[in-house]
Amino acid sequence: MPSDSASPGKGRKYTLVERERRFLLAGLPAEPSIRVLAITDHYLVGTRLRLRLSSPVTDHDEEVRYKLTQKIPVPGSGSRLITTIYLNEEEYQALAVLPAAVLNKTRHSVPPYGVDVFHGDLSGLFMAEVEFQTDEEMAGFSPAPFVIAEVTGDHRFTGGHLVTVNRRELADALPGYGLHLPI
């Protein structure tokens, strides 16, 4: 099993570096979405694993996708190590019975952004993320005018944390970024 460190060797043999910046939005951008997905994330209790079901909402002949993912922060960096296994429906169903915290959202693809509209207790939260190939691209990126604030370094706005948050806790976190959420 890989350790939390980013040391080279077999522990990183199957991982990729994920470079991502995350942003808060006041709402869905006016720009048209080229694809819309319904996403259900199961954060498996006691692990760093996320089981994901993504289903197309729009008509683009896209398939339902099932994935098992692990993300490990790289200390002293804005990146993470990510390992993803694509599953079939039977494998997904076998894992979906494990104890998990569940997060539901709709993802709108508004290139270069993936814009997430959260549901349930997190309804009213809009976040965007952008992925990059290099550290230089990530550092040189300028957010669009519809971005309210960057939250890349704020652990409270990662999926693994958001899945544990109730509406009151989310509402308490947003004013520091100039946003308010009705309770």
Side-chain angles (χ1 to χ4, degrees):
M1 176 175 199
S3 69
D4 281 344
S5 72
S7 61
K10 287 191 177 199
R12 288 187 56 193
K13 184 174 180 179
Y14 301 103
T15 63
L16 298 173
V17 175
E18 179 184 59
R19 295 171 185 87
E20 178 180 271
R21 288 176 62 185
R22 292 182 309 281
F23 306 94
L24 290 174
L25 311 178
L28 199 57
E31 290 81 355
S33 303
I34 64 167
R35 178 181 52 223
V36 181
L37 298 172
I39 295 176
T40 301
D41 286 333
H42 294 250
Y43 289 85
L44 301 181
V45 174
T47 76
R48 298 174 298 187
L49 301 174
R50 180 191 71 202
L51 184 63
R52 174 171 282 179
L53 165 64
S54 62
S55 307
V57 173
T58 53
D59 256 343
H60 285 97
D61 295 326
E62 193 162 325
E63 296 179 20
V64 172
R65 295 199 191 272
Y66 309 96
K67 298 190 289 188
L68 180 64
T69 302
Q70 179 189 55
K71 295 184 180 186
I72 301 171
V74 176
S77 153
S79 59
R80 298 180 285 192
L81 297 178
I82 182 171
T83 306
T84 300
I85 300 170
Y86 288 86
L87 307 171
N88 63 30
E89 185 175 3
E90 292 76 22
E91 293 164 333
Y92 173 86
Q93 294 299 336
L95 294 171
V97 299
L98 295 172
V102 178
L103 186 66
N104 290 296
K105 60 188 178 182
T106 302
R107 177 162 293 164
H108 296 258
S109 181
V110 181
Y113 298 91
V115 178
D116 291 336
V117 178
F118 290 83
H119 305 292
D121 268 0
L122 304 181
S123 179
L125 177 63
F126 298 85
M127 289 184 59
E129 62 183 43
V130 180
E131 294 186 6
F132 305 92
Q133 295 299 313
T134 67
D135 291 338
E136 294 76 25
E137 284 178 11
M138 189 167 80
F141 181 76
S142 295
F146 59 76
V147 167
I148 301 297
E150 181 163 2
V151 291
T152 301
D154 190 334
H155 173 71
R156 296 175 299 173
F157 294 97
T158 61
H161 182 75
L162 286 171
V163 75
T164 69
V165 171
N166 65 39
R167 189 161 187 84
R168 166 58 67 193
E169 292 166 321
L170 177 61
D172 289 346
L174 290 174
Y177 291 105
L179 292 171
H180 298 279
L181 184 69
I183 301 295

